[in-house]
């Protein structure tokens, strides 16, 4: 996926709004069954709320995610667990990030700012996360 300034700015605004106005449930640690490279979870979002999913991986591994389609469309971003800016390539409805270091990473699912402001009902989503060696 190509980094797009408009998408980057929109996601930066969405992440900033989610931190300022959003409420998150506790982060959920994703666990993979033995021998599996991926796992799928489901959830709901309303307004500026967001959901964080934590996964542990090693430097050089590729973390990819895909969100199910719905209207409005939730987006995901990949963040270092210790804080910091979203990692390039890990944003939008699908993302692929080559991880820079060993440790925990967060896949945050949220609505874009305009959708969050307008959405009053709960939006269901399904998130598939894959870690490739």
């Amino acid at each position: 996926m190509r980094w797009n300034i408009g998408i980057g700015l929109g996601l930066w605004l969405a992440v900033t709004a989610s931190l300022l106005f959003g409420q998150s449930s506790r982060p959920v640690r994703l666990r993979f069954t033995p021998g599996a490279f991926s796992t799928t979870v489901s959830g709901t979002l309303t307004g500026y709320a967001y959901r964080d999913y934590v996964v542990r991986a090693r430097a050089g591994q590729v973390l990819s995610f895909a969100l199910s389609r719905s209207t409005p469309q939730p987006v995901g971003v990949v963040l270092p667990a210790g804080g910091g800016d979203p990692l390039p390539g890990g944003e939008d409805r699908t993302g692929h990030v080559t991880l820079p270091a060993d440790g925990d990473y967060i896949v945050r699912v949220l609505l874009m700012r305009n959708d969050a402001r307008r959405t009053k009902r709960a939006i269901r989503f399904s998130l598939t996360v894959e870690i490739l060696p």
Side-chain angles (χ1 to χ4, degrees):
M1 178 190 309
R2 204 178 75 165
W3 180 255
N4 180 305
I5 291 177
I7 290 174
L9 180 59
L11 286 170
W12 179 83
L13 287 170
V15 170
T16 301
S18 71
L19 291 173
L20 294 175
F21 306 112
Q23 296 177 348
S24 173
S25 57
R26 299 177 91 183
V28 174
R29 174 141 327 251
L30 296 180
R31 307 233 185 258
F32 297 87
T33 58
F37 294 105
S38 68
T39 189
T40 301
V41 293
S42 298
T44 60
L45 293 172
T46 304
Y48 291 102
Y50 59 91
R51 301 289 175 255
D52 284 347
Y53 298 93
V54 180
V55 63
R56 180 171 293 278
R58 293 185 313 269
Q61 288 186 305
V62 175
L63 184 156
S64 66
F65 69 87
L67 282 157
S68 59
R69 289 207 170 269
S70 65
T71 303
Q73 177 64 52
V75 296
V77 295
V78 177
L79 305 161
D85 293 330
L87 300 175
E91 70 282 322
D92 212 352
R93 193 179 66 77
T94 61
H96 306 281
V97 176
T98 300
L99 301 174
D102 292 358
D104 285 340
Y105 290 87
I106 296 170
V107 178
R108 177 168 290 167
V109 180
L110 60 138
L111 294 171
M112 293 295 277
R113 186 171 162 259
N114 288 340
D115 290 334
R117 187 177 60 240
R118 290 181 292 198
T119 303
K120 304 299 182 216
R121 63 184 173 81
I123 303 300
R124 293 184 184 277
F125 67 88
S126 174
L127 170 69
T128 300
V129 175
E130 184 176 44
I131 302 286
L132 300 175

